[in-house]
Amino acid sequence: MTTSLFGEPIERREDPRLLTGGGRFLDDLGRDALAAAFVRSPHAHARILDIDLSAAVDVEGLVAIYTWEDLPGGVGDPLPLLIPHPAMTHGRTGLPLARDVVRHVGEPIVMVVARDRYLAEDAAELIRVDYEPLPPVVGIENAAAAERLVHEDVPGNVGAHLVQEVGAAPAAIEAAPHVLEFRLDIERSASTPLEGRGVYARWDAADESLRVYSSTQTSTSVRMAVAARLGLPPGKVEVIAPDVGGGFGVKIVHPWPEEVLVPWAARLLDREIKWTEDRREHFVASAHERGQVQFVRVGFDDEGRLLGLDVRILHDHGAYTPYGIIVPIITSTQLLGPYKPGAYRVEFTSLYTNTVIVTPYRGAGRPQGVFCMERTMDRIARHLGRDRAQVRAANFIQPEEFPYDQGLTFQDGRPLIYDSGDYPEMLRKTLALIGWDSFAELREAARSRGRRIGIGLGCYVEGTGVGPYEGGHVEVDTAGRVHVSTGLTSQGQGHQTVFAQIVAAELGVPIEDVYVTTGDTRRFGYAVGTFASRAAVMSGNAVALAARKVRDKALRIAGDALEADPGDLQITDGTVHVKGDATAAIPLRTVAVLANPLRYAFDAEAQRATQFAAPADPAAPPVAPGDEPGLEGRDYYSPVRSTFAAGMHAAVVETDPDTAEIRILRYAVVHDCGRMINPRIVEGQIHGGVAQGIGGALYERMAYDPAGQLLNASFMDFLMPYATEIPRIETDHLETPSPLNPLGIKGAGEAGVIPVSAVLAAAIEDAEGIRVDAMPISPDDLFHLRLRAGTDPSLRL
Amino acid sequence: MKPPAFAYHAPDTLGAALAALAEAGDGGKVLAGGQSLVPLLNMRLAAPAELVDINRITALDTLEVTAGGVRVGALARHSRVERSDAAAGVQPLLRRALENVAHPVIRNRGTVVGSLAHADPAAELPAVLALLDGTVEVRSATGRRTVPAGAFFTGPLESALLPGELAVSAFFPALPPRTGTAFRELSRRHGDYALAGVAVTVGLDEDLRVATARAGYLGVAATPVVLDLTGPALAAQEGRPAGECDWAEVGGYAAARLDPEPDIHASAEYRRTLAGVLTERALRAAAAEGGRSDS
């Protein structure tokens, strides 16, 4: 058993359990709990005139029905605006249950509690809500036109407006030898985890304590929110994220209405209550993302170097803004990617519409920003007749220029300073992997046989590992087991594996002895959550620092026991020994016994720590001042700012001249997330990300009709790709360690999704010779694009 | 997404099933593979008062292949029919269509006759039955009748089945000699309902020239559409062998006669164009196969 596990592509330790049905998801819990169901608005915008419960109250098995009128202060207050920002002049959040106006289809109005979900839905169906329909605002352009308002007191439907500027972009563009101006569109998509949201709450009346299970990406913050809303001390609220079947961002939003209402009702009724979101609810009552219109003006020189870039973004925020303006902030800052923009001006307007709220989904605004910048690079290259890769290279930040300050403020409120990277080398690897230089011949050869193939390239930089902090706790028990806990949650990323690898390597123990717990406030109370590609960076470093504390303490105690200098000791396979002498050794489990001075021996091993077992200094207390009993350590990692991963993707597509089908022939990824803890898991993250990116590029959209009805709120009509739609993904890596954290790592979770729309748009454009300015693109879209290009030469390259 | 309450019957015999359906009248619904019905129930888009589950009636789990054709019993799963070499030998379109029905796990549960009774205009089997002029055998507590495919599909998700009736089998006639078949569809994702699809038969004469050409479409109208393309095929052939026929022209002729509806996945115009392209490709493949089947 090697203890140098860091960097090894070991198999995921959680997979045998998860793949054989051993997972314990929200709906696996609380079999005897009452079930909640919700009456949700069928209108995109309406005033509630009356709620008639009379037909529902006779349903057998009904326990309770609640409307907003039933909710006490705290519970019935507007949901929090989680991330306030000075530019968010008109932030608006919903109520847990709507009071007078509903602003999107799916907004909850009535909560029904019954013996089971069937009966709860029966009762919900019998509740009659009278509405006065109000004119809905659907689509970014309608929102911007502001002929109708989503919120009466929000003029122009504008929730936020933010300008960031480095240099004088308009003047730089005016003075530039070449100027291009164009519009880009990206439609909505959504996280759509296979497991929807869910909450299960148990109230202990005698103990006056609450236990909440939630399918969340942040159990600690749900706990703070629930405790505050219910007026309970945080110490009386436990929140546990069990196995979570995917999050991808939607489960970082909290507290969801159901996360407040289910615990509240469980306490009120003194009954266990569970709500498991169904798929239709997930589509209309959780969150979506993407959804922007971008107006670009760019000035550049003969080499394609950017002189000035001016981007105006209209961002669709949906009906409310509980997560603030993180998504458009990320779009407007991460848009710059690996490039030096010259002067840069970016302005976004965040608009309300009568649709589901928009909050971060894997990539979190970056796919839109990268789409904008990479389409711009391709435009510049086509305009100058230069190679698309060369134009990118001409704009790269060079390896010797790090740390590189882009002069903007990032989503963590800190300066946008890239810590490390090597973009020219990454481009070299990418072009080699896809065979960029020889592609022109392939394209011509294919064309001569009546086939259309094209190639595309896309680059991105991703700020990962945002603060403020995460913590880790490591404890060695007297059986030699190493218990690791961290407060952030897991949704399948492989935390059981990577955190164990880190601790096993730091401590010098076999990985089989390491047990990892995440997302359980009983084990670790202080945490932020799993989002923004931050878990490995934040908790990875925190558990490493905690393990180092444990290691130092173990060496000190073992040094006393072995009468050796701790500096001469090392830990191998769970045993502390003198370097170069395996016989002068003591197992960690014994060190754990010695670390806890005992009055009582509970077993034979523990006798070694009792008062008459060994000679001790009679003048010193058994626990030295400043020391603590036990072989454990706790530490926190709090970064000064984010660390910046990067990647480049390239793809080859084929389009069918007759049916307009789009097929990905090859997909290549080169990725740099600093030091890799486990390359297998990094590749898995890339594969999953690319798959979601392909979904967003070629299949998924939210089909709202003008009345605000979501027409494809099921997996039959929302086309999440299957494995059959995803090509083999070829990967290569680059490792430029982050200088910002002890392990030198950068985040990898979102990376794969980020440039896919940009890359596929470029490849389709290359195959077709027609400009692609809007994504996603379906065969029907391409068919119509061809028709338009047939009559409008400006659409042709 | 939980269904409202319903009465559940699980008879062992056809007689008991027919009695239960007779009793249920308008409120009765047959449950076979459940691949379409159960989602409809869960989404409360259908709320039958009584569900008659025929899965215990093993006498309906039949697949009879004769020289005249293939008779599929009401409980025969898609996968059984798909895997039957005998059925594919007599009527190759069955396997060719079934390979396009959803995914293997769905084909393991779903039934051929259930798909016909469900009468989804985007489904593969109704188009095949219609193209082949097949029939559906219908029983009720009071009698039996044979419904030709042309009269069976009456609208989207609507068939000629009356309350109290059960479709007990479907008959797919065998292919005449020197006839080739092909099935082509295009769906957004593997296994999805097609944006448009077509099953074709092309019959050749003894000189291997086209004698007949027919196409059955899915996804282009409220019910399956069958077009006799013999005339345009003969015109496009201009006396040449089938392999040299101008099938694109026939595809265009067919497309001009289709009037598909738009939905969120594709416009009417795209669907019509697509149907024409698929027609061309299917006819070409079927003509080539018809030529080979002669040797």
Side-chain angles (χ1 to χ4, degrees), chain A residues 473-476 549-550 553-554 556-557 591-598 621-635:
Chain A
H473 180 255
V474 175
E475 180 174 18
V476 183
K549 279 192 173 174
V550 172
K553 184 168 186 179
R556 178 163 53 77
I557 295 167
V591 177
V593 171
L594 297 177
N596 181 21
L598 292 172
V623 178
D627 203 358
E628 289 177 357
L631 186 51
E632 62 177 324
R634 179 186 303 272
D635 211 338

PDB file of all heavy atoms in Angstrom, chain A residues 473-476 549-550 553-554 556-557 591-598 621-635:
ATOM      1  N   HIS A 473     -11.664  18.553   9.519  1.00  0.00           N
ATOM      2  CA  HIS A 473     -11.366  17.931  10.806  1.00  0.00           C
ATOM      3  C   HIS A 473     -10.864  16.526  10.538  1.00  0.00           C
ATOM      4  O   HIS A 473     -11.454  15.792   9.735  1.00  0.00           O
ATOM      5  CB  HIS A 473     -12.625  17.894  11.672  1.00  0.00           C
ATOM      6  CG  HIS A 473     -12.395  17.270  13.016  1.00  0.00           C
ATOM      7  ND1 HIS A 473     -12.833  15.993  13.328  1.00  0.00           N
ATOM      8  CD2 HIS A 473     -11.756  17.737  14.117  1.00  0.00           C
ATOM      9  CE1 HIS A 473     -12.468  15.713  14.575  1.00  0.00           C
ATOM     10  NE2 HIS A 473     -11.829  16.748  15.082  1.00  0.00           N
ATOM     11  N   VAL A 474      -9.768  16.170  11.197  1.00  0.00           N
ATOM     12  CA  VAL A 474      -9.180  14.841  11.026  1.00  0.00           C
ATOM     13  C   VAL A 474      -8.950  14.258  12.402  1.00  0.00           C
ATOM     14  O   VAL A 474      -8.369  14.925  13.280  1.00  0.00           O
ATOM     15  CB  VAL A 474      -7.844  14.925  10.250  1.00  0.00           C
ATOM     16  CG1 VAL A 474      -7.173  13.549  10.192  1.00  0.00           C
ATOM     17  CG2 VAL A 474      -8.070  15.465   8.836  1.00  0.00           C
ATOM     18  N   GLU A 475      -9.425  13.052  12.613  1.00  0.00           N
ATOM     19  CA  GLU A 475      -9.273  12.413  13.918  1.00  0.00           C
ATOM     20  C   GLU A 475      -8.862  10.963  13.723  1.00  0.00           C
ATOM     21  O   GLU A 475      -9.472  10.240  12.931  1.00  0.00           O
ATOM     22  CB  GLU A 475     -10.592  12.493  14.696  1.00  0.00           C
ATOM     23  CG  GLU A 475     -10.491  11.836  16.068  1.00  0.00           C
ATOM     24  CD  GLU A 475     -11.749  12.034  16.909  1.00  0.00           C
ATOM     25  OE1 GLU A 475     -12.806  12.369  16.323  1.00  0.00           O
ATOM     26  OE2 GLU A 475     -11.671  11.848  18.128  1.00  0.00           O
ATOM     27  N   VAL A 476      -7.830  10.564  14.471  1.00  0.00           N
ATOM     28  CA  VAL A 476      -7.413   9.158  14.454  1.00  0.00           C
ATOM     29  C   VAL A 476      -8.007   8.509  15.693  1.00  0.00           C
ATOM     30  O   VAL A 476      -7.792   9.000  16.816  1.00  0.00           O
ATOM     31  CB  VAL A 476      -5.881   9.042  14.478  1.00  0.00           C
ATOM     32  CG1 VAL A 476      -5.464   7.569  14.397  1.00  0.00           C
ATOM     33  CG2 VAL A 476      -5.257   9.831  13.329  1.00  0.00           C
ATOM     34  N   LYS A 549      -1.685  19.032  11.141  1.00  0.00           N
ATOM     35  CA  LYS A 549      -1.738  19.235  12.594  1.00  0.00           C
ATOM     36  C   LYS A 549      -1.713  17.899  13.328  1.00  0.00           C
ATOM     37  O   LYS A 549      -1.032  17.733  14.341  1.00  0.00           O
ATOM     38  CB  LYS A 549      -3.024  19.997  12.974  1.00  0.00           C
ATOM     39  CG  LYS A 549      -2.942  21.501  12.790  1.00  0.00           C
ATOM     40  CD  LYS A 549      -4.139  22.161  13.466  1.00  0.00           C
ATOM     41  CE  LYS A 549      -4.004  23.674  13.462  1.00  0.00           C
ATOM     42  NZ  LYS A 549      -5.235  24.311  13.999  1.00  0.00           N
ATOM     43  N   VAL A 550      -2.513  16.963  12.808  1.00  0.00           N
ATOM     44  CA  VAL A 550      -2.582  15.640  13.440  1.00  0.00           C
ATOM     45  C   VAL A 550      -1.215  14.961  13.348  1.00  0.00           C
ATOM     46  O   VAL A 550      -0.746  14.335  14.305  1.00  0.00           O
ATOM     47  CB  VAL A 550      -3.667  14.781  12.768  1.00  0.00           C
ATOM     48  CG1 VAL A 550      -3.621  13.344  13.290  1.00  0.00           C
ATOM     49  CG2 VAL A 550      -5.038  15.394  13.009  1.00  0.00           C
ATOM     50  N   LYS A 553       1.182  16.382  15.868  1.00  0.00           N
ATOM     51  CA  LYS A 553       0.882  15.935  17.229  1.00  0.00           C
ATOM     52  C   LYS A 553       1.275  14.468  17.414  1.00  0.00           C
ATOM     53  O   LYS A 553       1.835  14.083  18.446  1.00  0.00           O
ATOM     54  CB  LYS A 553      -0.611  16.116  17.522  1.00  0.00           C
ATOM     55  CG  LYS A 553      -0.989  15.761  18.954  1.00  0.00           C
ATOM     56  CD  LYS A 553      -2.394  16.216  19.313  1.00  0.00           C
ATOM     57  CE  LYS A 553      -2.664  15.968  20.800  1.00  0.00           C
ATOM     58  NZ  LYS A 553      -4.012  16.424  21.202  1.00  0.00           N
ATOM     59  N   ALA A 554       0.997  13.663  16.401  1.00  0.00           N
ATOM     60  CA  ALA A 554       1.338  12.245  16.483  1.00  0.00           C
ATOM     61  C   ALA A 554       2.848  12.067  16.632  1.00  0.00           C
ATOM     62  O   ALA A 554       3.317  11.236  17.424  1.00  0.00           O
ATOM     63  CB  ALA A 554       0.836  11.511  15.241  1.00  0.00           C
ATOM     64  N   ARG A 556       4.915  14.175  17.926  1.00  0.00           N
ATOM     65  CA  ARG A 556       5.327  14.646  19.249  1.00  0.00           C
ATOM     66  C   ARG A 556       5.061  13.566  20.309  1.00  0.00           C
ATOM     67  O   ARG A 556       5.936  13.231  21.118  1.00  0.00           O
ATOM     68  CB  ARG A 556       4.563  15.942  19.587  1.00  0.00           C
ATOM     69  CG  ARG A 556       4.861  16.521  20.947  1.00  0.00           C
ATOM     70  CD  ARG A 556       4.426  17.981  21.057  1.00  0.00           C
ATOM     71  NE  ARG A 556       3.042  18.245  20.692  1.00  0.00           N
ATOM     72  CZ  ARG A 556       1.987  17.958  21.484  1.00  0.00           C
ATOM     73  NH1 ARG A 556       2.173  17.381  22.655  1.00  0.00           N
ATOM     74  NH2 ARG A 556       0.766  18.236  21.079  1.00  0.00           N
ATOM     75  N   ILE A 557       3.850  13.013  20.260  1.00  0.00           N
ATOM     76  CA  ILE A 557       3.501  11.997  21.266  1.00  0.00           C
ATOM     77  C   ILE A 557       4.340  10.737  21.073  1.00  0.00           C
ATOM     78  O   ILE A 557       4.846  10.146  22.029  1.00  0.00           O
ATOM     79  CB  ILE A 557       1.994  11.676  21.200  1.00  0.00           C
ATOM     80  CG1 ILE A 557       1.197  12.926  21.608  1.00  0.00           C
ATOM     81  CG2 ILE A 557       1.635  10.484  22.064  1.00  0.00           C
ATOM     82  CD1 ILE A 557      -0.271  12.843  21.278  1.00  0.00           C
ATOM     83  N   VAL A 591      -0.733   5.676  19.393  1.00  0.00           N
ATOM     84  CA  VAL A 591      -0.525   7.109  19.617  1.00  0.00           C
ATOM     85  C   VAL A 591      -1.860   7.761  19.984  1.00  0.00           C
ATOM     86  O   VAL A 591      -1.928   8.624  20.867  1.00  0.00           O
ATOM     87  CB  VAL A 591       0.092   7.772  18.372  1.00  0.00           C
ATOM     88  CG1 VAL A 591       0.232   9.285  18.582  1.00  0.00           C
ATOM     89  CG2 VAL A 591       1.444   7.147  18.046  1.00  0.00           C
ATOM     90  N   ALA A 592      -2.925   7.313  19.323  1.00  0.00           N
ATOM     91  CA  ALA A 592      -4.243   7.868  19.618  1.00  0.00           C
ATOM     92  C   ALA A 592      -4.648   7.562  21.054  1.00  0.00           C
ATOM     93  O   ALA A 592      -5.263   8.380  21.744  1.00  0.00           O
ATOM     94  CB  ALA A 592      -5.280   7.315  18.646  1.00  0.00           C
ATOM     95  N   VAL A 593      -4.284   6.370  21.526  1.00  0.00           N
ATOM     96  CA  VAL A 593      -4.571   6.018  22.927  1.00  0.00           C
ATOM     97  C   VAL A 593      -3.793   6.954  23.852  1.00  0.00           C
ATOM     98  O   VAL A 593      -4.359   7.542  24.781  1.00  0.00           O
ATOM     99  CB  VAL A 593      -4.183   4.549  23.195  1.00  0.00           C
ATOM    100  CG1 VAL A 593      -4.258   4.236  24.685  1.00  0.00           C
ATOM    101  CG2 VAL A 593      -5.083   3.606  22.407  1.00  0.00           C
ATOM    102  N   LEU A 594      -2.512   7.111  23.556  1.00  0.00           N
ATOM    103  CA  LEU A 594      -1.651   7.922  24.422  1.00  0.00           C
ATOM    104  C   LEU A 594      -2.038   9.395  24.384  1.00  0.00           C
ATOM    105  O   LEU A 594      -1.743  10.142  25.318  1.00  0.00           O
ATOM    106  CB  LEU A 594      -0.193   7.755  24.001  1.00  0.00           C
ATOM    107  CG  LEU A 594       0.361   6.334  24.137  1.00  0.00           C
ATOM    108  CD1 LEU A 594       1.801   6.271  23.613  1.00  0.00           C
ATOM    109  CD2 LEU A 594       0.300   5.851  25.580  1.00  0.00           C
ATOM    110  N   ALA A 595      -2.693   9.809  23.309  1.00  0.00           N
ATOM    111  CA  ALA A 595      -3.054  11.219  23.163  1.00  0.00           C
ATOM    112  C   ALA A 595      -4.196  11.619  24.079  1.00  0.00           C
ATOM    113  O   ALA A 595      -4.496  12.800  24.227  1.00  0.00           O
ATOM    114  CB  ALA A 595      -3.440  11.509  21.710  1.00  0.00           C
ATOM    115  N   ASN A 596      -4.833  10.658  24.664  1.00  0.00           N
ATOM    116  CA  ASN A 596      -6.015  10.940  25.481  1.00  0.00           C
ATOM    117  C   ASN A 596      -5.813  10.362  26.871  1.00  0.00           C
ATOM    118  O   ASN A 596      -6.165   9.204  27.122  1.00  0.00           O
ATOM    119  CB  ASN A 596      -7.255  10.340  24.800  1.00  0.00           C
ATOM    120  CG  ASN A 596      -8.522  10.623  25.590  1.00  0.00           C
ATOM    121  OD1 ASN A 596      -8.579  11.553  26.403  1.00  0.00           O
ATOM    122  ND2 ASN A 596      -9.538   9.806  25.353  1.00  0.00           N
ATOM    123  N   PRO A 597      -5.199  11.129  27.819  1.00  0.00           N
ATOM    124  CA  PRO A 597      -4.943  10.612  29.168  1.00  0.00           C
ATOM    125  C   PRO A 597      -6.258  10.183  29.826  1.00  0.00           C
ATOM    126  O   PRO A 597      -7.223  10.950  29.840  1.00  0.00           O
ATOM    127  CB  PRO A 597      -4.331  11.808  29.899  1.00  0.00           C
ATOM    128  CG  PRO A 597      -3.854  12.725  28.830  1.00  0.00           C
ATOM    129  CD  PRO A 597      -4.770  12.532  27.683  1.00  0.00           C
ATOM    130  N   LEU A 598      -6.287   8.921  30.322  1.00  0.00           N
ATOM    131  CA  LEU A 598      -7.545   8.348  30.790  1.00  0.00           C
ATOM    132  C   LEU A 598      -7.524   8.078  32.279  1.00  0.00           C
ATOM    133  O   LEU A 598      -6.489   7.761  32.867  1.00  0.00           O
ATOM    134  CB  LEU A 598      -7.824   7.030  30.056  1.00  0.00           C
ATOM    135  CG  LEU A 598      -8.148   7.126  28.561  1.00  0.00           C
ATOM    136  CD1 LEU A 598      -8.199   5.730  27.962  1.00  0.00           C
ATOM    137  CD2 LEU A 598      -9.466   7.856  28.350  1.00  0.00           C
ATOM    138  N   PRO A 621       0.820  18.723  34.350  1.00  0.00           N
ATOM    139  CA  PRO A 621      -0.547  18.184  34.194  1.00  0.00           C
ATOM    140  C   PRO A 621      -0.576  17.159  33.056  1.00  0.00           C
ATOM    141  O   PRO A 621       0.199  17.273  32.098  1.00  0.00           O
ATOM    142  CB  PRO A 621      -1.375  19.417  33.841  1.00  0.00           C
ATOM    143  CG  PRO A 621      -0.413  20.417  33.284  1.00  0.00           C
ATOM    144  CD  PRO A 621       0.909  20.125  33.929  1.00  0.00           C
ATOM    145  N   PRO A 622      -1.455  16.162  33.158  1.00  0.00           N
ATOM    146  CA  PRO A 622      -1.520  15.136  32.097  1.00  0.00           C
ATOM    147  C   PRO A 622      -1.814  15.733  30.720  1.00  0.00           C
ATOM    148  O   PRO A 622      -1.302  15.247  29.716  1.00  0.00           O
ATOM    149  CB  PRO A 622      -2.656  14.214  32.559  1.00  0.00           C
ATOM    150  CG  PRO A 622      -2.708  14.406  34.045  1.00  0.00           C
ATOM    151  CD  PRO A 622      -2.344  15.845  34.286  1.00  0.00           C
ATOM    152  N   VAL A 623      -2.642  16.783  30.684  1.00  0.00           N
ATOM    153  CA  VAL A 623      -2.843  17.500  29.415  1.00  0.00           C
ATOM    154  C   VAL A 623      -2.096  18.814  29.518  1.00  0.00           C
ATOM    155  O   VAL A 623      -2.423  19.654  30.353  1.00  0.00           O
ATOM    156  CB  VAL A 623      -4.341  17.742  29.137  1.00  0.00           C
ATOM    157  CG1 VAL A 623      -4.500  18.542  27.830  1.00  0.00           C
ATOM    158  CG2 VAL A 623      -5.097  16.422  29.042  1.00  0.00           C
ATOM    159  N   ALA A 624      -1.074  18.968  28.715  1.00  0.00           N
ATOM    160  CA  ALA A 624      -0.225  20.148  28.814  1.00  0.00           C
ATOM    161  C   ALA A 624      -1.027  21.411  28.488  1.00  0.00           C
ATOM    162  O   ALA A 624      -1.989  21.353  27.718  1.00  0.00           O
ATOM    163  CB  ALA A 624       0.956  20.011  27.857  1.00  0.00           C
ATOM    164  N   PRO A 625      -0.630  22.552  29.073  1.00  0.00           N
ATOM    165  CA  PRO A 625      -1.318  23.808  28.753  1.00  0.00           C
ATOM    166  C   PRO A 625      -1.280  24.060  27.243  1.00  0.00           C
ATOM    167  O   PRO A 625      -0.241  23.866  26.607  1.00  0.00           O
ATOM    168  CB  PRO A 625      -0.499  24.872  29.489  1.00  0.00           C
ATOM    169  CG  PRO A 625       0.229  24.129  30.560  1.00  0.00           C
ATOM    170  CD  PRO A 625       0.461  22.747  30.041  1.00  0.00           C
ATOM    171  N   GLY A 626      -2.403  24.442  26.701  1.00  0.00           N
ATOM    172  CA  GLY A 626      -2.464  24.693  25.263  1.00  0.00           C
ATOM    173  C   GLY A 626      -2.708  23.449  24.436  1.00  0.00           C
ATOM    174  O   GLY A 626      -2.999  23.536  23.250  1.00  0.00           O
ATOM    175  N   ASP A 627      -2.587  22.293  25.074  1.00  0.00           N
ATOM    176  CA  ASP A 627      -2.827  21.047  24.333  1.00  0.00           C
ATOM    177  C   ASP A 627      -4.276  20.612  24.543  1.00  0.00           C
ATOM    178  O   ASP A 627      -4.983  21.169  25.383  1.00  0.00           O
ATOM    179  CB  ASP A 627      -1.853  19.959  24.820  1.00  0.00           C
ATOM    180  CG  ASP A 627      -1.641  18.880  23.771  1.00  0.00           C
ATOM    181  OD1 ASP A 627      -2.265  18.959  22.693  1.00  0.00           O
ATOM    182  OD2 ASP A 627      -0.852  17.956  24.042  1.00  0.00           O
ATOM    183  N   GLU A 628      -4.698  19.620  23.761  1.00  0.00           N
ATOM    184  CA  GLU A 628      -6.050  19.075  23.907  1.00  0.00           C
ATOM    185  C   GLU A 628      -5.932  17.573  23.892  1.00  0.00           C
ATOM    186  O   GLU A 628      -5.027  17.021  23.267  1.00  0.00           O
ATOM    187  CB  GLU A 628      -6.937  19.508  22.733  1.00  0.00           C
ATOM    188  CG  GLU A 628      -7.307  20.978  22.745  1.00  0.00           C
ATOM    189  CD  GLU A 628      -8.119  21.375  21.518  1.00  0.00           C
ATOM    190  OE1 GLU A 628      -8.345  20.514  20.645  1.00  0.00           O
ATOM    191  OE2 GLU A 628      -8.506  22.548  21.443  1.00  0.00           O
ATOM    192  N   PRO A 629      -6.834  16.879  24.580  1.00  0.00           N
ATOM    193  CA  PRO A 629      -6.808  15.412  24.490  1.00  0.00           C
ATOM    194  C   PRO A 629      -7.229  14.955  23.100  1.00  0.00           C
ATOM    195  O   PRO A 629      -7.922  15.679  22.383  1.00  0.00           O
ATOM    196  CB  PRO A 629      -7.810  14.961  25.551  1.00  0.00           C
ATOM    197  CG  PRO A 629      -8.699  16.139  25.781  1.00  0.00           C
ATOM    198  CD  PRO A 629      -7.902  17.361  25.466  1.00  0.00           C
ATOM    199  N   GLY A 630      -6.806  13.752  22.754  1.00  0.00           N
ATOM    200  CA  GLY A 630      -7.242  13.175  21.478  1.00  0.00           C
ATOM    201  C   GLY A 630      -6.239  13.450  20.372  1.00  0.00           C
ATOM    202  O   GLY A 630      -5.502  14.433  20.387  1.00  0.00           O
ATOM    203  N   LEU A 631      -6.232  12.529  19.403  1.00  0.00           N
ATOM    204  CA  LEU A 631      -5.357  12.712  18.243  1.00  0.00           C
ATOM    205  C   LEU A 631      -6.218  13.233  17.101  1.00  0.00           C
ATOM    206  O   LEU A 631      -6.745  12.479  16.286  1.00  0.00           O
ATOM    207  CB  LEU A 631      -4.687  11.385  17.880  1.00  0.00           C
ATOM    208  CG  LEU A 631      -3.627  11.452  16.762  1.00  0.00           C
ATOM    209  CD1 LEU A 631      -2.602  12.530  17.009  1.00  0.00           C
ATOM    210  CD2 LEU A 631      -2.956  10.092  16.592  1.00  0.00           C
ATOM    211  N   GLU A 632      -6.437  14.526  17.150  1.00  0.00           N
ATOM    212  CA  GLU A 632      -7.300  15.136  16.137  1.00  0.00           C
ATOM    213  C   GLU A 632      -6.802  16.526  15.832  1.00  0.00           C
ATOM    214  O   GLU A 632      -6.054  17.123  16.608  1.00  0.00           O
ATOM    215  CB  GLU A 632      -8.756  15.186  16.602  1.00  0.00           C
ATOM    216  CG  GLU A 632      -8.978  16.016  17.851  1.00  0.00           C
ATOM    217  CD  GLU A 632     -10.449  16.103  18.257  1.00  0.00           C
ATOM    218  OE1 GLU A 632     -11.303  16.151  17.364  1.00  0.00           O
ATOM    219  OE2 GLU A 632     -10.722  16.118  19.467  1.00  0.00           O
ATOM    220  N   GLY A 633      -7.233  17.033  14.713  1.00  0.00           N
ATOM    221  CA  GLY A 633      -6.855  18.376  14.322  1.00  0.00           C
ATOM    222  C   GLY A 633      -7.938  19.007  13.466  1.00  0.00           C
ATOM    223  O   GLY A 633      -8.666  18.316  12.760  1.00  0.00           O
ATOM    224  N   ARG A 634      -8.055  20.294  13.598  1.00  0.00           N
ATOM    225  CA  ARG A 634      -9.047  21.042  12.819  1.00  0.00           C
ATOM    226  C   ARG A 634      -8.338  22.253  12.235  1.00  0.00           C
ATOM    227  O   ARG A 634      -7.532  22.883  12.908  1.00  0.00           O
ATOM    228  CB  ARG A 634     -10.169  21.492  13.758  1.00  0.00           C
ATOM    229  CG  ARG A 634     -11.288  22.305  13.113  1.00  0.00           C
ATOM    230  CD  ARG A 634     -12.249  22.821  14.170  1.00  0.00           C
ATOM    231  NE  ARG A 634     -12.821  21.752  14.970  1.00  0.00           N
ATOM    232  CZ  ARG A 634     -13.924  21.077  14.655  1.00  0.00           C
ATOM    233  NH1 ARG A 634     -14.610  21.388  13.576  1.00  0.00           N
ATOM    234  NH2 ARG A 634     -14.368  20.108  15.422  1.00  0.00           N
ATOM    235  N   ASP A 635      -8.602  22.533  10.987  1.00  0.00           N
ATOM    236  CA  ASP A 635      -7.996  23.741  10.424  1.00  0.00           C
ATOM    237  C   ASP A 635      -8.893  24.248   9.308  1.00  0.00           C
ATOM    238  O   ASP A 635      -9.804  23.553   8.849  1.00  0.00           O
ATOM    239  CB  ASP A 635      -6.580  23.460   9.906  1.00  0.00           C
ATOM    240  CG  ASP A 635      -5.685  24.704  10.025  1.00  0.00           C
ATOM    241  OD1 ASP A 635      -6.231  25.832  10.100  1.00  0.00           O
ATOM    242  OD2 ASP A 635      -4.449  24.544  10.054  1.00  0.00           O
TER     243      ASP A 635
END
